[in-house]
Amino acid sequence: MIYALLFAADAVFAVLFIKAGYPESTKKGFVFKMFASCIFLITGIYSASPPGCGRYSYLIIAALCAGLIGDVFLTFDPFIKDKSNKKKSAFFVLLGGLFFIAGHGIYIAAFAGELKKGGVFRLPVFLAGAALAFVSVFALIFISKVKPGKALAAIAVYAAAISCMFAMGLCLALGGEFPSNAARVFLIAAPLLFIISDSSLLLKAFDKERFDNLAVRSVNLGTYYLAQMLFAVTAGLIK
């Protein structure tokens, strides 16, 4: 019941943020976003509550914290008084991006620890999962005819990182022992949703004319918040 309420509340504030922050960032949108982001952190803390809270749970909470901080910086535009100062705006976006990368790194570390502890890492599964995710990202670039230009190398590195995260979640889901199948589903779905979210952001970033719209924004943020909520719940399913 509590999880249902948390998911519902997060969905409500995410929808409010999606609408209030388009076509430009607003202070109202920032408030809605902070509520939505705080809820996924609260969900993680609630899920990881003792007894039995272990390394995985603590790392998940740390990753959720990094995501929350990243959300703060990425929606800081309404508080920049000098709108002509593009460098300051870019600085906050970069800072937010760094926290998101850190969060992804922590998720990978959490998965790696569980794979090592359970001895369930399987190279063929990992390679197949990583290759499928990586190819999917570039297939989207090709099909959509987006032209990232010099950013292609950076995209490849980032795509490799989130593809590895998905592949590790896949290995853990297929090989680990859990009290319910919900953990398996969430371990696969959460990183997959991140890939979808980041891919939609890629489209919007490199072709605003076609993809900077409410539909793409909804996919981007909807999958992001659902991914964070699923990760948060795993903090209680894997201890």
Side-chain angles (χ1 to χ4, degrees), residues 38-230:
C38 284
I39 289 171
F40 67 59
L41 178 57
I42 290 169
T43 303
I45 294 171
Y46 171 75
S47 300
S49 57
C53 184
R55 178 182 179 274
Y56 178 88
S57 301
Y58 289 125
L59 285 174
I60 292 299
I61 292 173
L64 294 170
C65 284
L68 172 58
I69 296 171
D71 285 337
V72 172
F73 290 125
L74 285 177
T75 322
F76 209 73
D77 260 5
F79 302 97
I80 299 175
K81 294 182 179 180
D82 184 5
K83 300 300 181 182
S84 64
N85 192 338
K86 300 298 182 182
K87 288 185 178 180
K88 184 177 288 188
S89 180
F91 169 76
F92 283 114
V93 170
L94 177 60
L95 200 56
L98 290 175
F99 273 100
F100 273 122
I101 292 172
H104 286 359
I106 298 170
Y107 282 134
I108 289 173
F111 283 169
E114 290 303 305
L115 288 170
K116 182 178 180 181
K117 184 172 70 175
V120 294
F121 179 79
R122 298 292 180 267
L123 185 60
V125 175
F126 175 83
L127 291 177
L132 178 62
F134 188 83
V135 169
S136 296
V137 173
F138 278 86
L140 178 64
I141 293 174
F142 178 77
I143 293 170
S144 64
K145 298 181 180 180
V146 167
K147 297 178 181 179
K150 294 181 180 179
L152 189 62
I155 291 170
V157 172
Y158 187 78
I162 59 175
S163 296
C164 286
M165 179 171 66
F166 169 73
M168 294 172 80
L170 184 63
C171 282
L172 187 57
L174 296 179
E177 294 184 6
F178 308 106
S180 71
N181 286 325
R184 302 181 194 280
V185 174
F186 292 172
L187 286 169
I188 296 172
L192 180 60
L193 286 166
F194 261 141
I195 293 173
I196 296 171
S197 178
D198 291 339
S199 296
S200 63
L201 184 61
L202 184 153
L203 296 179
K204 187 172 72 170
F206 292 100
D207 196 335
K208 290 186 177 182
E209 187 174 337
R210 285 192 294 157
F211 298 109
D212 189 6
N213 54 57
L214 196 57
V216 174
R217 177 178 170 81
S218 298
V219 171
N220 171 235
L221 293 169
T223 52
Y224 166 72
Y225 277 105
L226 182 54
Q228 293 286 41
M229 289 296 288
L230 294 182

